[in-house]
Amino acid sequence: MEEKRMHFEPKDVLQKLEFDRVLDLLEKRTLTPMGAARVRCIGPMLDFERIDVALREVRDYKLLLEKNERLPLEPFSDLSPALRLLAIADYTLTIEDFQNIRRVLKLMRGVFRFFSGPKKEIYPRLYAHIAHLPYEEGALKAIDEVIDEKGELRSDASPELMRIRREQVAKLRELDTRFRQLVAEYRQKGWLSDAPESIRNGRRVLAVPAEHRRKIRGILHDESDTGRTVFIEPEPIIEINNDLFDLEAEERREIFRILRQLSERIRPHVELLNGYQDALVRLEVIHAKAQLAVEMRANMPALQPKPIISIRKGYHPLLYLKNKTEGKKTVPFDLRLHPHQHILVLSGPNAGGKSVAMKSVGLLQLMVQSGLLVPVHELSELGIFEQIFADIGDQQSLDDGLSTYSSRLQNARIFIQQATPNTLVLIDEMGSGTDPKLGGAIAEAVLQELYRKGVYAVITTHYSNLKVFAFRHEGILNGCMHFDKDTLSPTYELRVGRPGSSYAFEIAAKSGLPKHLLDYARKRAGSETAVDDLLIELQREKQELEELLRAVKEKEENLDRLIKTYDSMHHDLELRRKRLKLDQKEFELRLSAQATREVEKLIRQLREEKNLERAQQVAQQLRQTRAETARQVDDINAEVLRLEEKSAVSTRTNALQVGDYARLRAGGAIGRIEAIKDGKAQLIMGGLTVTAPLRDLLPVAPPNSTPSSTFKVDIQKTTEFESKLDIRGMAPDEAMRVVEKFVDTALLANATTLHILHGKGVGVLRRVVKEKLREYGRHIARVYHPEPELGGDGVTIVELA
């Protein structure tokens, strides 16, 4: 399925917005012709996922460069022609082809080594380009066995080649010795020229004056241009040269055989080698993008799937780089367009930067949708547009018989017909090129239609009626390029919210036009300038009022938050106070329970002394005290529950869900809900996994931190806790585990007294119980044995704190 592409009107929008110059900069930063060709194919995309991945890849590579880490990318030759031939059965590659393949294999080895450690997790999107590729070490090893580092065939590539080259060396040594002997002999006889030797037809020959040519027996290979010198291969070395010639032929045949064999070994890896080259080229293009991003201090804005333009501290990329090289400052701009305010009408003096600001918006949008980082603040947001229309510059056409204004009208017709809410329209000097009144009226009609269709647009103009139209419609913003009235010079600062003046008279006065001419012009302009000034003043007052209203609204919202916070804090304070009081009463109740034995002992003594009346009084007093304490506990507990219910109603926006934090009504422990089933929730509370009915839970805000270790217990089961345990007959290890679980459950059930029956015997289990109980430290208030008639040393009674 063919990918849907961005639609442009007219077709030269990319050139009008200078996107091609950005590609030129990228191309200069590539390493290979393949990378340069792929850069030329870069263009705006429409798929959100593809754009997002492309931007994140470049951001990761930019981070890599900023950390001075180096991905081993270097220039290499295109393997495609050689690999296409290698795919043909029995085809043999040249040594140069194998050199190129080896370079790619070495580069890939470096890339795989770069990602062999934690960097695959640090730069996962870059690693994704090679993650699907296996590294084939055997191919590189096979080439290294045949070709040396200088790119020449190794002599030990085969035993036969080694033999041939050894014989060549011996023959060359023999040839050199015999040749020197002949040179010495013939020179002594005066038969040789001043430069006695040369090479002709690949053979070593003597340079002999023509008059001595018949004195030296051998083969005549050549003569000089003048005919005064002939080049003779002397007869004594002809046989040696013939042997060398035969050895060279043998060498060529053996080299071809070795290369043929090597081609067979590499042929199965053709597809993998294509994958290696493609991965290197893709990483190379990302490298070029990241390098350009570093130079222009570019960032990745927040990408949105729908159209939006929210630029903070944005720069025109090309202007920023130009000024950077010249040491000049570039003024950033802020602009936000969204569905409720989607058109900016930009006005101001000529040469004030209106067109640059407008082109900046278009170029930044094109770059982002092409997967390029842009020079904006990282908190900027840019969405995805399906179409970009631009009416910029003089589009007069002699071929089509169109004047400048006719071409503008034709563009306006196309824009209105094809524009949608997913279209970005850029119009420079809207309405110009004809009579100002008529052109302004037509421009206003076109602007109204673009506004009605929900188009996003940045429009520059000098026409007052367009500024008034923008002032009257909430979805259109006025904007201006600030102009310093004192120095009559532009500041290139974009100000959104108020229209700008053309400052025609002021600039004319600065340029030296006579005063009487300007007075006449002002008189002829009449109320036009007054309307312009009035509009600017109205827009200023409107903006100030809107800012004042925003400030008041913000203060009201802050006041509401403070009141809610106060109410919440007051409620929490009251709840904590009640809980504290409840804890105190429960503590008193536990103390009362602990004192029961002393009182019972006192009663037994009184009975033994026959003082029944006193015993009855003590018992009655004890019952009244405990009853009163229990009543107070119940009253305070009811008040706490009422406050908790009130808190739950005020904070609960929906039913408790997995992932929410909740608090137990009883005890106040807070935990995170891990699962909900059959009206029960499973919570992680500290080191415990607790199961409790949903009706016994109250929603709360997440705590700062939660421990990770878990221990499971069911709250409903703790309510059925049996305070007696019998471990008689158990092995010590088993008894220790059972006692530990028993005491843990008792603590969760808020039990006060435990009875552990272990028997007397030799006291092994008794010691096990005491050893385990010592581990609970402050949670154990007292450990003792009852009276002999109640079990004595065979029973351990535990009072919990």
Side-chain angles (χ1 to χ4, degrees), residues 42 47 222 226 420 620 699:
I42 291 176
D47 183 77
D222 196 6
T226 61
T420 69
Q620 180 65 25

Side-chain angles (χ1 to χ4, degrees), residues 54-69:
L55 290 173
R56 293 180 186 277
E57 287 175 347
V58 182
R59 186 182 64 180
D60 285 356
Y61 209 117
K62 176 173 173 268
L63 176 64
L64 183 149
L65 294 177
E66 290 172 341
K67 292 168 66 176
N68 292 321
E69 294 181 329

Side-chain angles (χ1 to χ4, degrees), residues 416-676:
I416 290 171
Q417 287 176 348
Q418 301 186 14
T420 69
N422 293 327
T423 303
L424 175 61
V425 174
L426 307 171
I427 302 177
D428 194 21
E429 302 294 352
M430 189 177 192
S432 64
T434 188
D435 180 270
K437 288 188 177 180
L438 300 178
I442 294 174
E444 184 176 329
V446 173
L447 177 58
Q448 183 180 36
E449 185 62 17
L450 293 176
Y451 170 69
R452 188 188 65 81
K453 299 189 79 169
V455 171
Y456 283 72
V458 179
I459 295 167
T460 69
T461 187
H462 288 283
Y463 289 168
S464 297
N465 65 309
L466 298 184
K467 303 176 195 176
V468 172
F469 184 85
F471 176 76
R472 291 174 175 171
H473 292 77
E474 291 187 2
I476 305 179
L477 293 168
N478 263 311
C480 69
M481 303 306 296
H482 183 246
F483 193 78
D484 191 330
K485 293 181 182 179
D486 297 328
T487 61
L488 293 179
S489 59
T491 64
Y492 305 108
E493 179 185 349
L494 173 62
R495 293 188 176 181
V496 177
R498 61 181 65 180
S501 171
S502 297
Y503 294 100
F505 293 120
E506 289 83 355
I507 295 173
K510 185 182 180 183
S511 66
L513 279 181
K515 184 177 181 300
H516 71 277
L517 293 181
L518 296 177
D519 292 340
Y520 178 81
R522 283 193 178 94
K523 184 177 179 181
R524 294 296 299 169
S527 61
E528 286 292 328
T529 55
V531 170
D532 214 25
D533 294 340
L534 179 61
L535 178 62
I536 293 173
E537 184 62 24
L538 284 173
Q539 187 75 53
R540 184 186 63 78
E541 292 179 357
K542 179 184 177 184
Q543 188 174 8
E544 290 176 355
L545 182 60
E546 289 176 347
E547 290 174 357
L548 182 61
L549 288 173
R550 278 197 296 270
V552 171
K553 186 177 181 182
E554 185 177 346
K555 287 181 179 179
E556 287 181 350
E557 291 174 351
N558 288 337
L559 181 60
D560 289 342
R561 282 196 294 270
L562 286 172
I563 292 173
K564 290 179 181 177
T565 301
Y566 172 78
D567 290 342
S568 177
M569 291 175 65
H570 177 73
H571 180 272
D572 289 345
L573 183 61
E574 181 67 14
L575 186 58
R576 289 182 182 182
R577 189 178 67 81
K578 292 291 185 183
R579 282 184 183 154
L580 181 59
K581 191 173 181 181
L582 178 62
D583 291 342
Q584 290 173 342
K585 291 299 179 181
E586 288 179 339
F587 181 69
E588 292 175 8
L589 196 59
R590 284 197 296 273
L591 288 178
S592 176
Q594 291 173 7
T596 300
R597 281 183 305 277
E598 300 298 328
V599 176
E600 289 176 348
K601 186 176 180 181
L602 176 60
I603 291 173
R604 282 197 300 273
Q605 291 176 354
L606 291 173
R607 284 176 178 170
E608 290 171 359
E609 295 173 1
K610 306 299 184 179
N611 193 347
L612 296 179
E613 184 178 348
R614 173 62 177 157
Q616 289 174 352
Q617 289 176 355
V618 172
Q620 180 65 25
Q621 185 179 1
L622 176 62
R623 284 194 296 271
Q624 289 177 351
T625 301
R626 294 200 63 181
E628 178 61 23
T629 304
R631 184 188 62 78
Q632 292 178 359
V633 168
D634 291 340
D635 291 345
I636 297 172
N637 193 39
E639 182 66 16
V640 169
L641 288 175
R642 183 185 66 79
L643 290 172
E644 288 176 340
E645 286 292 343
K646 182 179 178 182
S647 175
V649 170
S650 62
T651 58
R652 182 180 298 161
T653 56
N654 48 30
L656 287 171
Q657 298 178 355
V658 174
D660 291 347
Y661 283 83
R663 179 172 55 77
L664 290 170
R665 293 182 188 276
I670 295 175
R672 184 177 183 275
I673 298 177
E674 294 294 311
I676 296 177

